[in-house]
């Protein structure tokens, strides 16, 4: 069967958007194609009350995107699939009373290829490779063009096993990050290798979840994160739940090195979170009460430095 879809939307300020797509399957193949387009005449990005920066032009947007997905069933247990997406657009920005009419030229491309199947009746495995690129060019006649390009490549091996204690999830992944800018960053590439394992299960009135992950970041070293959760049905329609976990977030390249606002002294942000929850139904009303606590170390946030400049700190 072949199914088609289309949609058009019109609105104020020159808003026009539309999508058209096809999807179907035949002889073991399944496919999907989508095209979309958005345009906005927009409004001025500056305020008329600001006499120093006001420019009464319209700062609009236009974007075109295409998406393709294709899959094929090799047999009853194994399947190969791929996805590809590309988006191109322009966003006009204000340059105060200048008449240069600067804009940002943006392009995003994402692709992924995966092989999924059963190694054993209880063991499903997926091997995939994906890559995403973002290209941004600021067209500013007053100061000249500048660009910021990023690329991420990800290799993953995911496994799902059915066991007596629940579904076990385990795997490995490698992430390669690169950045190319008009201003040379002190570090422009890094890799993250990670291994993880977890279990989700339930029996009678009880449910549980536990997972642990180890990341080895070429720029910041190794980090271990985890999550634990337990739920109990106290009575029909009443349930209690408790969880505790640890997470980590590495600063981005822009956090570290962006000209004029980067802070190369940043370290990864770490946090621990705990939560207690009780939910139920009373007289036909569903309700939930939750208490939580989040503790952060080296939390990354914007603040003025000793010179009064706002930077991530």
């Amino acid at each position: 069967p072949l199914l088609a879809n289309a949609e058009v939307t019109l609105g104020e300020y020159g808003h026009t958007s539309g999508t058209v797509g096809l999807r179907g399957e035949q002889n073991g193949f399944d496919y999907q194609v989508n095209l979309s387009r958005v345009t906005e005449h927009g409004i001025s990005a500056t305020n008329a009350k600001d006499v120093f920066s006001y420019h009464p032009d319209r700062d609009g947007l236009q974007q075109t995107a295409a998406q393709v997905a294709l899959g094929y069933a090799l047999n009853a247990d194994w399947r190969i699939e791929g996805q590809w997406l590309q988006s191109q657009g322009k966003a006009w920005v204000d340059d105060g009373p200048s008449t240069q009419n600067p804009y940002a030229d943006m392009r995003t491309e994402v692709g992924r290829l995966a092989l999924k199947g059963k190694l054993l009746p209880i063991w499903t495995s997926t091997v995939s490779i994906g890559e995403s690129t973002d290209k941004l060019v600021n067209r500013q006649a007053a100061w000249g063009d500048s660009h910021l390009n990023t690329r991420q490549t990800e290799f993953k091996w995911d496994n799902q096993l059915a066991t007596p204690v629940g579904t076990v999830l385990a795997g490995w992944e490698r992430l390669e990050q690169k950045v190319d800018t008009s201003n040379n960053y002190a570090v422009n590439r890094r890799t993250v290798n990670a291994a993880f394992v977890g279990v989700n299960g339930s029996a009678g009135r009880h449910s549980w979840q536990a997972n642990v992950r180890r990341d080895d970041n070429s720029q910041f070293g190794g980090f271990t994160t985890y999550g634990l959760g337990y739920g109990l049905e106290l009575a029909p329609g009443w349930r209690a739940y408790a969880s505790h976990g640890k997470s980590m977030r590495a600063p981005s390249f822009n956090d570290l090195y962006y000209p004029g606002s980067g802070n190369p002294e940043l370290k990864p942000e770490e946090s621990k979170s705990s939560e207690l929850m009780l939910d139920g139904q009373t007289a036909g009303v569903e309700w939930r009460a939750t208490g939580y606590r989040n503790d952060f170390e080296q939390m990354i946030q914007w603040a003025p430095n000793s010179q009064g400049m706002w930077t991530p700190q």
Side-chain angles (χ1 to χ4, degrees), residues 16 162 206 240 257 277 282 313:
T16 305
H206 307 271
Y257 310 118
M277 183 184 73
T282 304
Q313 297 184 49

Side-chain angles (χ1 to χ4, degrees), residues 238-287:
W238 287 62
R239 185 170 180 270
Y241 181 79
S243 67
H244 176 72
K246 178 182 179 181
S247 63
M248 182 276 289
R249 180 172 76 91
S252 69
F253 286 118
N254 283 346
D255 288 337
L256 294 162
Y257 310 118
Y258 197 85
S261 65
N263 181 359
E265 302 300 321
L266 290 176
K267 297 180 181 180
E269 174 183 298
E270 298 183 63
S271 66
K272 291 183 178 181
S273 60
S274 301
E275 181 176 307
L276 294 173
M277 183 184 73
L278 180 66
D279 64 18
Q281 295 185 1
T282 304
V285 177
E286 296 183 4
W287 56 269

Side-chain angles (χ1 to χ4, degrees), residues 58-71:
R58 290 186 171 187
D59 300 300
L61 166 75
Q62 62 184 40
Q63 184 180 46
T64 303
Q67 181 181 11
V68 178
L70 178 65

Side-chain angles (χ1 to χ4, degrees), residues 178-225:
K178 301 177 182 178
V179 61
D180 171 39
T181 72
S182 303
N183 302 276
N184 292 326
Y185 285 3
V187 176
N188 59 15
R189 62 180 60 200
R190 65 189 178 197
T191 59
V192 182
N193 291 300
F196 55 89
V197 62
V199 60
N200 294 293
S202 62
R205 298 160 50 211
H206 307 271
S207 60
W208 55 85
Q209 175 181 342
N211 56 72
V212 63
R213 176 186 174 101
R214 178 67 178 180
D215 287 84
D216 183 12
N217 188 304
S218 63
Q219 188 175 12
F220 296 105
F223 294 88
T224 300
T225 55

Side-chain angles (χ1 to χ4, degrees), residues 93-163:
V93 297
D94 240 314
D95 191 20
S98 167
T99 59
Q100 302 294 335
N101 202 24
Y103 64 91
D105 196 341
M106 303 166 291
R107 177 172 177 171
T108 298
E109 191 167 357
V110 179
R112 180 177 180 269
L113 184 65
L115 175 66
K116 180 179 181 178
K118 288 187 176 181
L119 296 172
L120 294 172
I122 64 168
W123 181 4
T124 300
S125 186
T126 303
V127 179
S128 65
I129 178 174
E131 184 170 276
S132 64
T133 59
D134 289 290
K135 297 182 178 180
L136 170 65
V137 179
N138 290 310
R139 307 286 187 181
Q140 297 175 315
W143 304 300
D145 293 351
S146 62
H147 71 271
L148 174 63
N149 302 330
T150 61
R151 171 177 291 182
Q152 288 200 145
T153 305
E154 185 178 51
F155 307 88
K156 293 190 70 175
W157 180 32
D158 295 309
N159 298 276
Q160 181 174 314
L161 295 92
T163 73

